[in-house]
Amino acid sequence: RIGLIGGSFNPAHEGHVHMARYARQAARLDQVWWLVSPQNPLKSKRGMAPFVQRLVSARDVSQPYSWIKVLDFEQKKDLQFTADSLSLLVKRCPRADLIWIMGADNLIQFPQWKRAYFISRLLPIIVVNRPQYGFKALSSAGAAMMSSHRKMPARNLNRKNGGWAFIHAASDPASSTAIRGRTA
């Protein structure tokens, strides 16, 4: 069972580890793979650190956790959209039980993602709460899109049955945006 977390990791921080840890525990995952995005199409290139710097940041932060694997898969395959990355991973890892993981803030903007509905059908999804996002996320258009799927405990999610879970665990306030603001 492998959880997948995509993101800019600009920079990576303990909040990313927190999200991976809670998802891993709730879904009984063997590993969590961080897919460092070359450039999120919904984010400005302004203020985006170079890819190699963000990749190193993710590897540094995740280094104490042997179950987190940091991948430059999207960069190597020249992939821009999550739907394309996940489709390729499903083909390349046919025996793996892959689960997509995202923060509650991403559930709010999920309908803006290219082929979001396809993603929601391709893999089961775990949404991890973030400070001040829980209620807003659960009442968002993204949650409405997911409402046609079975909501279930994370431990019951699998590719065969689909579904989604929302983890209400204590959320971590760490934010890449806030970290960049403090270092600017």
Side-chain angles (χ1 to χ4, degrees):
R1 287 174 62 83
I2 300 169
L4 305 169
I5 299 175
S8 300
F9 297 93
N10 188 36
H13 52 74
E14 286 301 318
H16 294 115
V17 172
H18 176 86
M19 183 166 73
R21 183 183 301 124
Y22 272 97
R24 178 178 181 239
Q25 181 181 9
R28 299 179 181 147
L29 301 171
D30 299 303
Q31 295 181 349
V32 176
W33 295 356
W34 288 0
L35 308 175
V36 181
S37 172
Q39 175 60 51
N40 180 330
L42 296 177
K43 291 186 176 178
S44 170
K45 291 181 181 182
R46 189 169 178 238
M48 188 66 63
F51 176 79
V52 172
Q53 184 179 333
R54 295 182 286 115
L55 183 68
V56 168
S57 160
R59 287 183 173 155
D60 286 348
V61 168
S62 67
Q63 192 274 328
Y65 309 96
S66 61
W67 49 270
I68 297 177
K69 307 297 180 204
V70 178
L71 307 178
D72 56 358
F73 172 79
E74 292 179 321
Q75 175 80 0
K76 285 183 175 176
K77 297 296 179 188
D78 195 28
L79 298 168
Q80 183 180 12
F81 299 103
T82 300
D84 298 332
S85 300
L86 297 182
S87 292
L88 188 53
L89 284 169
V90 165
K91 287 177 189 160
R92 293 247 171 129
C93 307
R95 294 187 306 178
D97 197 3
L98 302 174
I99 298 173
W100 180 246
I101 302 166
M102 66 175 140
D105 54 328
N106 280 305
L107 182 60
I108 294 167
Q109 65 172 212
F110 191 49
Q112 298 170 28
W113 293 20
K114 184 175 183 179
R115 298 171 60 206
Y117 188 76
F118 168 79
I119 294 168
S120 74
R121 289 286 192 225
L122 182 65
L123 294 178
I125 296 175
I126 293 174
V127 179
V128 181
N129 196 19
R130 296 224 28 227
Q132 287 109 33
Y133 283 100
F135 179 75
K136 189 175 178 184
L138 288 170
S139 61
S140 70
M145 177 190 297
M146 299 295 292
S147 68
S148 64
H149 311 312
R150 286 191 3 208
K151 193 170 178 197
M152 61 182 74
R155 69 181 174 277
N156 295 341
L157 294 174
N158 61 58
R159 265 186 45 204
K160 181 182 174 189
N161 298 328
W164 74 293
F166 190 93
I167 299 176
H168 293 277
S171 54
D172 189 295
S175 155
S176 294
T177 304
I179 291 169
R180 286 192 311 275
R182 286 193 303 266
T183 60

